[in-house]
Amino acid sequence: MRKKNYLNNKDILTQIHKSKNTFNSYTDPEYANYDIILPDVEKINIRTIAEAKRNKAKKLSQAEYERRKLAGEKVKQAECEVPYQKITKEELIFRVMTFDHIPDEAGRKKNPKTIADTKEKLNFPPFVHYKFNDNDELQLVGKSHWVGGMENGYFSKSHGKATDHLAMMWMKLVDRYATRGNVRGYTYNDEMKGQAILQLTQIGLQFDESKSQNPFAYYTAAVTNSFVRVINIEKRNQNIRDDILEMNDLNPSYTRQHQGEWEASVKRNEEAGTSVFTDKTSK
């Protein structure tokens, strides 16, 4: 039986896309699905249009293959392939990363280094969607962090939310990570899990699909940092408690006692080794 991953990048990317769309506005719901991500509208050219066509053809082929498999048909993936040459550029949706529609927030950072530092703080990188109309002109069809029409709408960053499915993925990832051998033995394991989930809710949608297609690694790194942060804080607090206990002639924690015994043992062994070496060399 084929092994099935409890989380995979394809499902996570789908839920991230759905979550981000709750913060966005489009002239038509079908324009929410993009075919290529570009850093600037000037990058829309013959090469990127051809790449977008290939991306769209690949997605259509995969969707048709999965549809026929669910219908119970015995079909090969090659039989569902859609030629990209048949896709017109009017069918394509271009996602362009931009801050043009985001309000300025002067003084948010003392020494701004990027344009993002001069704008309002957002939960994910902003963008707009373009498509070609019948007159072969680019038309704005969608904006992130937006409510209403493209011309008469307004900026908003609080009207959307992460999907329930994505939230469950975050919780499942944290639960599985908390069972690792290097962290499951800590008495404050629940506190580490809570801190990790909080961190994911804050940065979960900041994943940039234009730079990577591996959100699982992005989330795992965030969870690891959260667990390590809590461990370091607890160790620092434990050292303070042990110092106070020792100052009052009380026994410190078993960890401190074992550490003291270990250091004393190492010191004795080093002294014994040094004395034997000195005796041999003196002869």
Side-chain angles (χ1 to χ4, degrees), residues 38-52:
L38 301 172
D40 194 298
V41 69
E42 300 296 332
K43 297 293 184 180
I44 300 178
N45 51 40
I46 295 176
R47 182 183 61 81
T48 54
I49 289 174
E51 184 179 351

Side-chain angles (χ1 to χ4, degrees), residues 272-283:
T274 303
S275 62
V276 170
F277 179 76
T278 303
D279 292 341
K280 288 182 178 180
T281 54
S282 62
K283 294 180 182 179

Side-chain angles (χ1 to χ4, degrees), residues 31-75:
Y31 297 154
N33 297 316
Y34 61 90
D35 299 304
I36 192 172
I37 304 177
L38 301 172
D40 194 298
V41 69
E42 300 296 332
K43 297 293 184 180
I44 300 178
N45 51 40
I46 295 176
R47 182 183 61 81
T48 54
I49 289 174
E51 184 179 351
K53 287 183 178 181
R54 292 187 180 92
N55 294 340
K56 190 175 186 67
K58 184 177 179 180
K59 287 192 291 186
L60 292 175
S61 301
Q62 185 65 28
E64 177 63 15
Y65 173 74
E66 292 176 356
R67 184 191 66 80
R68 294 175 66 175
K69 287 285 286 185
L70 288 174
E73 299 183 32
K74 291 185 177 180
V75 60

Side-chain angles (χ1 to χ4, degrees), residues 41-42 44 94 130-133 135-140:
V41 69
E42 300 296 332
I44 300 178
F94 301 89
Y130 284 99
K131 73 178 294 292
F132 284 98
N133 59 21
N135 297 324
D136 202 26
E137 298 175 344
L138 281 173
Q139 177 184 356
L140 182 64

Side-chain angles (χ1 to χ4, degrees), residues 2-271:
R2 185 178 179 182
K3 182 180 179 181
K4 183 178 180 181
N5 294 329
Y6 72 100
L7 285 179
N8 61 75
N9 285 319
K10 180 181 176 182
D11 293 340
I12 298 176
L13 283 171
T14 299
Q15 294 306 315
I16 291 175
H17 179 67
K18 290 181 178 179
S19 299
K20 288 184 177 181
N21 280 339
T22 63
F23 292 87
N24 309 337
S25 179
Y26 304 98
T27 56
D28 191 301
E30 68 178 14
Y31 297 154
N33 297 316
Y34 61 90
D35 299 304
I36 192 172
I37 304 177
L38 301 172
D40 194 298
V41 69
E42 300 296 332
K43 297 293 184 180
I44 300 178
N45 51 40
I46 295 176
R47 182 183 61 81
T48 54
I49 289 174
E51 184 179 351
K53 287 183 178 181
R54 292 187 180 92
N55 294 340
K56 190 175 186 67
K58 184 177 179 180
K59 287 192 291 186
L60 292 175
S61 301
Q62 185 65 28
E64 177 63 15
Y65 173 74
E66 292 176 356
R67 184 191 66 80
R68 294 175 66 175
K69 287 285 286 185
L70 288 174
E73 299 183 32
K74 291 185 177 180
V75 60
K76 295 182 179 179
Q77 200 156 8
E79 299 174 7
C80 304
E81 186 174 350
V82 176
Y84 77 92
Q85 295 89 345
K86 293 184 178 181
I87 297 176
T88 63
K89 69 178 183 179
E90 288 77 17
E91 301 176 56
L92 304 175
I93 302 296
F94 301 89
R95 172 172 288 186
V96 177
M97 311 303 294
T98 179
F99 281 86
D100 291 346
H101 61 290
I102 306 300
D104 293 331
E105 187 178 350
R108 188 170 73 86
K109 288 199 174 183
K110 187 175 181 180
N111 297 312
K113 297 180 180 179
T114 63
I115 188 174
D117 295 337
T118 65
K119 301 289 186 176
E120 285 202 28
K121 188 175 182 180
L122 303 174
N123 50 351
F124 60 87
F127 53 81
V128 294
H129 283 191
Y130 284 99
K131 73 178 294 292
F132 284 98
N133 59 21
D134 296 334
N135 297 324
D136 202 26
E137 298 175 344
L138 281 173
Q139 177 184 356
L140 182 64
V141 296
K143 287 183 180 181
S144 67
H145 308 92
W146 200 257
V147 176
M150 300 299 101
E151 301 297 334
N152 58 1
Y154 59 92
F155 168 80
S156 175
K157 60 179 182 180
S158 59
H159 62 286
K161 67 172 186 176
T163 63
D164 294 342
H165 196 171
L166 182 59
M168 292 297 295
M169 287 179 171
W170 292 340
M171 296 171 66
K172 183 181 292 186
L173 176 61
V174 172
D175 286 340
R176 289 292 293 265
Y177 191 93
T179 61
R180 289 189 174 187
N182 59 333
V183 296
R184 66 187 178 193
Y186 289 103
T187 56
Y188 39 87
N189 189 274
D190 288 339
E191 184 177 346
M192 291 191 289
K193 289 165 60 177
Q195 182 65 33
I197 293 175
L198 177 61
Q199 179 71 5
L200 287 178
T201 59
Q202 293 174 341
I203 60 94
L205 296 183
Q206 291 180 12
F207 179 77
D208 191 349
E209 298 93 332
S210 65
K211 297 180 179 179
S212 172
Q213 293 293 303
N214 190 358
F216 184 85
Y218 174 77
Y219 287 159
T220 302
V223 172
T224 301
N225 292 336
S226 295
F227 273 63
V228 171
R229 189 182 305 115
V230 173
I231 291 173
N232 290 336
I233 292 173
E234 290 293 334
K235 284 184 177 180
R236 192 180 308 120
N237 293 338
Q238 182 178 336
N239 286 332
I240 294 173
R241 289 194 300 269
D242 288 338
D243 290 341
I244 294 174
L245 289 171
E246 289 180 343
M247 289 170 58
N248 290 276
D249 297 327
L250 298 173
N251 290 331
S253 65
Y254 285 116
T255 302
R256 174 68 67 87
Q257 294 179 37
H258 291 161
Q259 182 181 359
E261 292 174 1
W262 170 256
E263 291 175 353
S265 175
V266 170
K267 186 176 181 180
R268 286 195 301 269
N269 292 335
E270 289 178 349
E271 292 175 350

